[in-house]
């Protein structure tokens, strides 16, 4: 239906209304993600650098620097000149043990196809050729270190005993009667008779007071160590008039037992006594002079728990 006509010649008024659109915020895009990824990568590289500085030695760091140096690309002609440079990495973790021996890879002639092997495969083959695994090598190094520690303890016990005897005036003159030496069996302490001094009366196992006092000092010197003791008695070649009833075998055994009792009285635990033996005149200190009074002696051996490493 048409609108009613306006009176006269009037025309309808046309009203135009303009609406302004407010601009929205521009889209940021993904540039921030790229920047964040670069930051994370840089931090990861930084922490890797700190880790490498912590677990490598100066020689290894120099090897890493040479590896990334363009002038040193052609220096290394074999796998032994790599980043680790032949150094041994041992437990714990990736830390380098200060006690681990430094090993250097020796270049060996290779046959066709051997150059493609990994370095760790070559090392494993070397262990197999030597017949020792990594664990066996570590156990051997541990035993050698324990043997060296035990040796230092024996040397300290020897020093303590000598100082103790020198500190007692009435025993200082008997220092020549004391013989201490390191043997493969252990620390051997021997108390010898002299021409003007005897540990026991002739043909008796009842020791004199100075002898008992020296054995007390021996007990103090070795009392702190856990090693077991071996005691043996020795005589010279002099025969008894009635050797069929009581001879050098009985006398040496009785004197060894008397020494055992004196050591226990000085503080040595009874379970530390390993053996008590009478050797009679079968093991002279001076074989060329079987009648020498210095063949009459008491030998006390502080036995080793660990055999020392063989000398090279």
């Amino acid at each position: 239906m048409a609108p009613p006509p306006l009176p006269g010649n009037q025309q309808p008024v046309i009203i135009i209304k303009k609406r302004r659109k407010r601009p929205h915020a521009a889209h940021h895009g993904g540039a921030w993600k790229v920047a964040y990824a670069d930051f994370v990568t840089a931090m990861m590289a930084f922490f890797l650098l700190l880790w490498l500085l912590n677990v490598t030695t100066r020689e290894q760091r120099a090897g890493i620097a040479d590896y990334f140096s363009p002038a040193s690309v052609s220096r290394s002609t074999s796998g032994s000149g790599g980043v680790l440079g032949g150094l041994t990495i041992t437990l714990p973790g990736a830390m380098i043990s200060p006690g681990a021996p430094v090993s250097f890879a020796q270049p060996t002639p290779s046959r066709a196809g051997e150059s493609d092997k990994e370095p760790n495969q070559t090392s494993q083959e070397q262990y197999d050729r030597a017949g020792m695994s990594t664990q066996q090598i570590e156990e051997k190094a541990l035993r050698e270190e324990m043997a060296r520690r035990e040796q230092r303890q024996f040397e300290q016990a020897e020093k303590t005993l000598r100082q103790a005897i020198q500190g007692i005036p009435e025993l200082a003159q008997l220092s020549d009667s004391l013989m201490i030496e390191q043997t493969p069996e252990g620390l051997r302490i021997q108390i010898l008779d002299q021409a003007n001094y005897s540990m026991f009366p002739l043909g008796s196992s009842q020791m004199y007071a100075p002898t008992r006092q020296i054995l007390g000092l021996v007990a103090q010197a070795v009392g702190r160590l856990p090693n077991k003791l071996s005691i043996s008695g020795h005589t010279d070649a002099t025969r008894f008039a009635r050797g069929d009833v009581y001879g050098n075998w009985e006398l040496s055994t009785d004197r060894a037992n008397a020494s055992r009792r004196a050591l226990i009285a000085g503080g040595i635990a009874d379970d530390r006594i390993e053996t008590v033996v009478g050797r009679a005149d079968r093991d002279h200190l001076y074989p060329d002079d079987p009648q020498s009074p210095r063949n009459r002696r008491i030998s006390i051996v502080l036995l080793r728990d660990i055999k020392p490493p063989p000398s090279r």
Side-chain angles (χ1 to χ4, degrees):
M1 182 176 181
L6 296 176
N9 294 325
Q10 294 181 359
Q11 296 294 329
V13 178
I14 298 174
I15 300 174
I16 299 175
K17 185 177 182 181
K18 294 183 179 181
R19 293 183 179 180
R20 292 185 177 180
K21 294 183 178 181
R22 296 180 179 179
H24 295 286
H27 185 62
H28 294 288
W32 67 275
K33 298 179 181 179
V34 177
Y36 179 73
D38 292 341
F39 171 75
V40 172
T41 303
M43 292 301 295
M44 182 180 66
F46 175 70
F47 284 116
L48 283 176
L49 175 62
L50 293 180
W51 178 78
L52 284 174
L53 292 176
N54 186 43
V55 302
T56 56
T57 62
R58 181 178 299 177
E59 293 80 3
Q60 291 175 337
R61 290 194 291 271
I64 294 174
D66 291 341
Y67 180 82
F68 289 102
S69 176
S72 63
V73 171
S74 60
R75 289 181 187 176
S76 176
T77 59
S78 66
S80 62
V83 175
L84 297 180
L87 294 179
T88 303
I89 297 181
T90 59
L91 297 177
M95 296 296 291
I96 296 177
S97 173
V102 179
S103 60
F104 297 93
Q106 299 293 335
T108 56
S110 60
R111 292 174 293 182
E114 289 186 353
S115 59
D116 297 332
K117 294 181 180 180
E118 296 293 332
N120 57 353
Q121 293 177 352
T122 304
S123 300
Q124 185 62 41
E125 289 178 359
Q126 292 175 355
Y127 288 141
D128 293 341
R129 294 192 196 103
M132 297 180 65
S133 64
T134 305
Q135 181 179 0
Q136 290 173 329
I137 293 175
E138 293 177 354
E139 290 176 354
K140 179 182 178 182
L142 178 60
R143 288 195 301 270
E144 291 177 352
E145 177 58 31
M146 293 177 65
R148 285 190 290 267
R149 179 182 178 184
E150 188 176 60
Q151 178 67 23
R152 290 193 295 267
Q153 291 176 340
F154 284 0
E155 292 173 355
Q156 182 61 37
E158 176 183 353
K159 181 180 178 181
T160 300
L161 179 57
R162 291 189 184 277
Q163 290 178 347
I165 292 179
Q166 292 294 332
I168 301 177
E170 57 269 23
L171 296 180
Q173 60 181 352
L174 302 179
S175 58
D176 292 339
S177 297
L178 188 68
M179 179 181 293
I180 307 175
E181 56 185 340
Q182 302 282 345
T183 68
E185 188 179 10
L187 179 66
R188 183 163 60 189
I189 304 170
Q190 298 191 97
I191 307 173
L192 316 175
D193 277 5
Q194 300 183 41
N196 57 352
Y197 168 76
S198 296
M199 295 179 293
F200 299 87
L202 183 63
S204 173
S205 62
Q206 299 296 324
M207 64 181 62
Y208 290 119
T211 307
R212 190 177 301 276
Q213 196 171 0
I214 291 178
L215 288 173
L217 295 178
V218 172
Q220 293 178 13
V222 303
R224 297 181 181 181
L225 301 179
N227 305 70
K228 293 184 178 297
L229 297 171
S230 175
I231 307 170
S232 59
H234 304 263
T235 66
D236 57 17
T238 303
R239 300 293 179 178
F240 281 79
R242 298 183 59 188
D244 56 336
V245 177
Y246 190 89
N248 287 332
W249 287 107
E250 290 80 9
L251 180 62
S252 60
T253 303
D254 289 345
R255 288 181 174 178
N257 257 319
S259 301
R260 176 189 62 83
R261 289 190 293 268
L263 289 174
I264 293 176
I268 298 296
D270 182 66
D271 57 358
R272 287 185 58 189
I273 306 299
E274 182 75 8
T275 57
V276 179
V277 181
R279 300 297 305 276
D281 56 350
R282 295 299 190 269
D283 186 15
H284 286 320
L285 189 61
Y286 297 93
D288 296 336
D289 187 7
Q291 301 294 335
S292 173
R294 295 177 70 84
N295 288 325
R296 300 192 300 267
R297 66 196 190 277
I298 294 295
S299 179
I300 302 167
V301 180
L302 187 63
L303 299 173
R304 297 184 187 275
D305 288 334
I306 303 171
K307 298 299 181 183
S311 58
R312 297 180 180 179

